[in-house]
Amino acid sequence: MLEHMIIDENFDSRYLPPSSFEFHPLLAHSSLAGLSTLILSPGRTTSIIFTDPDILTLTRTCPRLHILDLGSQNTPVSLHALNVLVRRCHELCTVALRVDARVDSLRDNKYADDDDEEGLRPNRCLIKLNVGDSPVATAGTFILSQESREIMLISRFLHAMAPKLKSVQGSV
């Protein structure tokens, strides 16, 4: 049974055109059930097409993940999908992926399903979350006090999802 999968494109990508690959076909293999480490580090010009349904499939296929690192090269997933990932993979301690962290994504998720969140408990193992260059601004124009309230909603959401979370990082 496969426990660790690390794919690292380590080459000079300055002369390569932008490209992408679909994550979903990778999830079709039943040998991933015992996977604890999944690290994909594509070159700078490659992006990973990673959707909310892919996250939900990943949580069913690889419930024993400890580390998920997509090198912040993925298409952003919703906060709902992050919530299901973190709560369903109880042993997950490190996550690095792009997330649509705008407050609007808390309210509106076309993939949300009550069955996905049924019986989920907070993850007490997650200590590090890296969201790379994720969209984190609130949508629209807000006055500062409203932005502060919106940011507090995200903070409360993260704390409820992973109360032991020590670090949330992004790109500068």
Side-chain angles (χ1 to χ4, degrees):
M1 187 178 310
L2 187 63
E3 288 185 36
H4 307 283
M5 181 183 294
I6 300 172
I7 300 173
D8 185 7
E9 288 182 358
N10 194 5
F11 58 86
D12 186 2
S13 60
R14 286 181 289 180
Y15 305 107
L16 295 176
S19 63
S20 63
F21 71 88
E22 297 277 338
F23 192 81
H24 189 74
L26 182 66
L27 298 172
H29 298 280
S30 60
S31 63
L32 297 178
L35 196 66
S36 66
T37 303
L38 178 57
I39 300 173
L40 302 177
S41 298
R44 288 180 292 164
T45 61
T46 304
S47 66
I48 302 168
I49 308 290
F50 196 57
T51 64
D52 282 17
D54 292 339
I55 283 261
L56 301 178
T57 301
L58 178 68
T59 64
R60 291 181 187 105
T61 306
C62 308
R64 293 181 178 86
L65 275 178
H66 292 166
I67 299 170
L68 174 63
D69 185 346
L70 300 183
S72 297
Q73 295 288 101
N74 63 290
T75 53
V77 297
S78 71
L79 286 168
H80 166 75
L82 176 67
N83 185 44
V84 173
L85 168 73
V86 168
R87 289 177 183 242
R88 206 177 261 171
C89 298
H90 302 289
E91 300 168 26
L92 200 55
C93 59
T94 301
V95 175
L97 76 158
R98 292 182 69 219
V99 177
D100 182 352
R102 295 174 294 183
V103 173
D104 291 353
S105 72
L106 276 175
R107 293 187 271 272
D108 182 30
N109 187 341
K110 61 184 172 187
Y111 300 110
D113 183 352
D114 290 339
D115 292 341
D116 292 328
E117 295 187 17
E118 187 174 318
L120 296 180
R121 298 182 317 270
N123 179 321
R124 302 208 179 272
C125 294
L126 186 69
I127 57 171
K128 183 178 178 186
L129 175 62
N130 186 335
V131 296
D133 64 349
S134 296
V136 293
T138 53
T141 305
F142 292 94
I143 57 173
L144 185 57
S145 62
Q146 176 138 358
E147 283 184 2
S148 298
R149 285 192 300 267
E150 304 282 338
I151 290 169
M152 287 304 297
L153 283 174
I154 299 290
S155 298
R156 285 188 199 117
F157 171 82
L158 291 174
H159 180 72
M161 177 185 75
K164 304 281 186 184
L165 186 62
K166 292 182 181 179
S167 171
V168 178
Q169 298 175 319
S171 295
V172 275

